[in-house]
Amino acid sequence: MSQLFIGLISGTSADGIDAVLVEFPNPDNAAGLQLRAARVQPWAPALRERLVALGQGGELRSLDELGRLDVQVAQAFTDAALALLEDAGIAPSAVAAIGSHGQTLRHRPHGDAPFTLQVGDGSVIAERTGIATVCDFRRRDVAAGGHGAPLVPAFHAALLHSGDEDRAVLNLGGIGNYTLLPRQGAVRGFDTGPANALLDAWCLRHAGQAFDADGAFAASGRVDEALLARLLDEAWFALPPPKSTGREEFHLEWVEAKLHGGESPSDVQATLLELSAATCADALRAHQPGTARVIACGGGVRNPRLIERIAARLPGVAVESTAAHGLDPDYVEAMAFAWLARETLAGRPGNLPAVTGARGLRVLGVVHPA
């Protein structure tokens, strides 16, 4: 019997809350799933500004602030879910559950007390919508020795694996990440480094726009090869998988520390775009050199300049959008969290230890009943 699930996520860029309504006709797998409705709910500007600052390593002012943010983010996610249902003409009672990722404030999967912190209290979402809500997906994997990220490879594998060729799914969000889908063998995945996060932040600061539409700002500059070399010299890029990262590591202060002074803003933008392309291409050549096809999703798919540069660095590899496979590239990750909520309620694991480094398969998330 078909079931409806909602997926909610705000990614590293915090450029809006992606909300999707997904129909799963098969209770045991993802075959035949349909995207019934989707929308992007904008953040209140002041709240977004604070979330981005904290995601880039800013300090909380107090525990009171953390508590307020947890509820404010949950309220914003609730508004997104209710607006989605209104768009679709669907009653909350028709939805089996919501899978809510929340907003990441800090991601520290290393050290003697590894943790990952997402805000957006699921109990508030469940209470206001009347729909069972699954949230806090990443912490169980971290507790099991994993990175808690990326979590979408299992979903990618369920929909995009091919027995005819080695494939890679490239999610170009604020941070880039791969799902490697060999014809035979284990699924793997890992973060590649900044995809849109630095591009968006630099564009906002120097062009007054929240993102670089069509890569026009980058196209107006030239790649500074010396700066690119300094950026690529960051030790994180040489780490072997499993690995994950976020704004707390790659932010504008990191970029500024690499500048010599006098670089034009457009040249820096061009160089940051080339950094994203280079790290994506380098990671694929290092970890699955026989890849025949890269299937891209996330906001970076809308930047033709970025896609062009990734393809140029991967000669002989087809680079295409998930749209070619019937999946809207803007909403794949939100759809994954709808799927993860379904897996949690079914008591099925949502992580892949070969991807995250966890000690084993784990059922993810905390369930707040309707």
Side-chain angles (χ1 to χ4, degrees), residues 152-171:
V152 292
F155 179 68
H156 291 159
L159 293 176
L160 295 168
H161 180 268
S162 169
D164 298 326
E165 62 184 7
D166 290 349
R167 291 178 170 182
V169 182
L170 175 58
N171 177 46

Side-chain angles (χ1 to χ4, degrees), residues 1-352:
M1 184 172 112
S2 288
Q3 288 185 304
L4 294 174
F5 284 80
I6 288 174
L8 303 172
I9 185 169
S10 174
T12 310
S13 295
D15 50 4
I17 301 166
D18 293 340
V20 297
L21 180 66
V22 183
E23 181 175 357
F24 293 93
N26 191 315
D28 299 319
N29 57 55
L33 88 174
Q34 293 184 11
L35 180 62
R36 291 278 301 272
R39 67 178 284 126
V40 179
Q41 185 87 356
W43 286 105
L47 179 56
R48 178 185 185 272
E49 182 179 353
R50 188 63 184 138
L51 292 172
V52 170
L54 290 169
Q56 293 182 157
E59 294 297 326
L60 282 163
R61 300 183 183 106
S62 66
L63 286 176
D64 283 347
E65 183 186 22
L66 178 59
R68 286 194 302 272
L69 285 172
D70 198 24
V71 173
Q72 288 172 336
V73 169
Q75 290 171 337
F77 273 52
T78 301
D79 291 343
L82 294 175
L84 176 76
L85 291 175
E86 184 175 357
D87 291 347
I90 298 292
S93 59
V95 179
I98 294 170
S100 177
H101 172 269
Q103 181 66 52
T104 298
L105 293 189
R106 203 61 51 89
H107 184 66
R108 302 287 195 207
H110 305 293
D112 58 353
F115 71 93
T116 185
L117 176 63
Q118 289 76 41
V119 291
D121 185 351
S123 60
V124 172
I125 300 172
E127 190 66 29
R128 285 192 56 203
T129 63
I131 302 170
T133 300
V134 188
C135 63
D136 202 13
F137 287 94
R138 299 190 186 275
R139 292 209 291 179
R140 181 62 190 272
D141 186 87
V142 172
H147 281 248
L151 292 182
V152 292
F155 179 68
H156 291 159
L159 293 176
L160 295 168
H161 180 268
S162 169
D164 298 326
E165 62 184 7
D166 290 349
R167 291 178 170 182
V169 182
L170 175 58
N171 177 46
L172 294 168
I175 298 296
N177 55 70
Y178 269 123
T179 299
L180 303 183
L181 301 174
R183 284 171 291 180
Q184 296 179 329
V187 175
R188 293 176 292 153
F190 51 88
D191 286 355
T192 62
N196 299 318
L198 296 179
L199 291 170
D200 292 348
W202 189 262
C203 187
L204 181 61
R205 177 175 293 184
H206 293 278
Q209 302 295 323
F211 63 95
D212 187 5
D214 296 326
F217 185 27
S220 70
R222 295 191 302 174
V223 174
D224 183 329
E225 296 292 347
L227 172 59
L228 179 61
R230 294 195 297 274
L231 294 169
L232 287 169
D233 193 41
E234 179 65 37
W236 186 89
F237 294 124
L239 292 174
K243 63 179 182 177
S244 58
T245 191
R247 278 184 182 270
E248 67 276 2
E249 181 142 16
F250 294 107
H251 45 71
L252 287 188
E253 288 73 14
W254 177 78
V255 174
E256 288 165 347
K258 305 286 186 177
L259 301 179
H260 282 169
E263 294 94 344
S264 77
S266 60
D267 286 355
V268 173
Q269 185 77 357
T271 306
L272 291 175
L273 185 143
E274 198 66 21
L275 172 71
S276 296
T279 50
C280 289
D282 291 350
L284 189 62
R285 284 195 298 268
H287 298 290
Q288 191 171 273
T291 301
R293 190 177 308 276
V294 170
I295 305 170
C297 58
V301 173
R302 306 299 182 187
N303 185 332
R305 180 78 173 175
L306 178 57
I307 297 298
E308 173 189 304
R309 291 306 306 150
I310 292 171
R313 286 177 169 269
L314 293 171
V317 178
V319 178
E320 61 194 23
S321 166
T322 55
H325 300 264
L327 295 171
D328 188 320
D330 289 328
Y331 297 111
V332 171
E333 196 163 17
M335 292 171 69
F337 279 88
W339 178 80
L340 282 166
R342 192 188 72 149
E343 298 304 284
T344 298
L345 292 187
R348 293 190 290 257
N351 68 334
L352 292 176

